[in-house]
């Protein structure tokens, strides 16, 4: 079945460092890909999405590119802030299917 | 506009007891979803309502779980009797239109079964 694999955490970085969180997926069809973020004490929020190959999703300085050839959707940010500390979930939703399939989540700590 | 709300935020019960979780979706959202995250594992889909009808309940783990959405507004998820492995965070989400339309998530209910 469909699945999402993302790098284990926690990831600890200093402020202004470059961030990459790796995500790869397995899907039978042509899924839409998402990154969700959960800040402390809050619900999941959609951070960005991409619906077809080579699409780039971006929001709040974060970017991820839908790479069909490598089945990847890595999350990147050029300069992280303390306020980016959160748990990040890579996810997919297959065509014609409404449920979202999540990875295990990566906890990110940014040190001032 | 209020977001998705869930109640309670945290519940601690003993094995064998019953617990009912509640989700209030965003007003006007016909689609309501339940997900669960067991510690250290992925967030997993449980079921999907369209208005008051169950569209997909393929993720429900067993018959100890009962979800309802009477009147197509709020939803409840009852666990009876609760087992240790039911501990985790239960998320609810809602969306306006089926498809790639964004699902808006609530803060979750943390269930601890002792």
């Amino acid at each position: 079945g469909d699945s999402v694999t993302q790098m284990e955490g926690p990831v600890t970085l200093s402020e202004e460092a470059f961030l990459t969180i790796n995500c790869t997926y397995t899907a039978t069809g042509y899924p839409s890909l998402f990154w969700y973020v959960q800040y402390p004490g809050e619900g999941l929020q959609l951070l960005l999405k991409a619906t077809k190959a080579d699409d780039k999703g971006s929001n709040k300085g974060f970017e991820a590119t839908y790479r069909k050839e490598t089945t990847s959707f890595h999350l990147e940010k050029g300069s992280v802030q303390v306020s980016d500390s959160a748990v990040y979930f890579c996810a997919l939703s297959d065509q014609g299917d409404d449920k979202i399939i999540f990875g295990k989540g990566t906890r990110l700590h940014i040190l001032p | 506009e209020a977001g998705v709300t869930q109640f309670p935020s945290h519940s601690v019960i003993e094995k064998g007891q019953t617990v009912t979780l509640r989700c209030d979706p965003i007003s006007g959202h016909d689609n309501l979803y339940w997900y669960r995250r067991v510690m250290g594992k992925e967030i997993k889909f449980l079921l999907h309502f369209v208005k008051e009808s169950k569209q997909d309940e393929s993720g429900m783990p067993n018959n100890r779980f009962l979800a309802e959405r009477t009147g197509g507004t709020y939803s409840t998820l009852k666990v009876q009797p609760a087992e240790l492995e039911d501990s985790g965070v239960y998320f609810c989400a809602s969306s306006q239109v089926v498809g790639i339309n964004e699902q808006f998530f609530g803060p979750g209910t943390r269930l601890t079964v002792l």
Side-chain angles (χ1 to χ4, degrees), chain A residues 17-76:
Chain A
F18 184 86
L19 168 71
T20 300
I21 301 179
N22 289 336
C23 171
T24 57
Y25 67 90
T26 302
T28 51
Y30 299 94
S32 294
L33 302 176
F34 310 91
W35 277 99
Y36 280 84
V37 59
Q38 186 178 23
Y39 298 104
E42 298 184 16
L44 289 164
Q45 300 175 26
L46 179 65
L47 180 60
L48 53 84
K49 69 180 181 185
T51 57
K52 62 182 188 297
D54 300 324
D55 267 3
K56 178 187 281 188
S58 61
N59 186 24
K60 299 183 181 180
F62 291 89
E63 293 183 340
T65 301
Y66 189 143
R67 300 283 187 205
K68 195 171 189 317
E69 63 276 14
T70 54
T71 61
S72 65
F73 194 54
H74 305 320
L75 182 68
E76 296 182 336

Side-chain angles (χ1 to χ4, degrees), chain B residues 20 25 27 32 35-37 41-42 44 52 54-55 57-60 69 76 87 91 96:
Chain B
T20 301
S27 178
L32 187 149
Y35 294 82
R36 173 174 79 166
R37 186 185 191 200
K41 299 202 172 177
E42 299 88 345
K44 292 221 176 210
E52 66 274 7
K54 291 175 186 173
Q55 179 78 11
E57 51 184 329
S58 61
M60 293 289 264
R69 193 182 181 196
T76 58
S87 295
F91 292 100
Q96 197 163 28

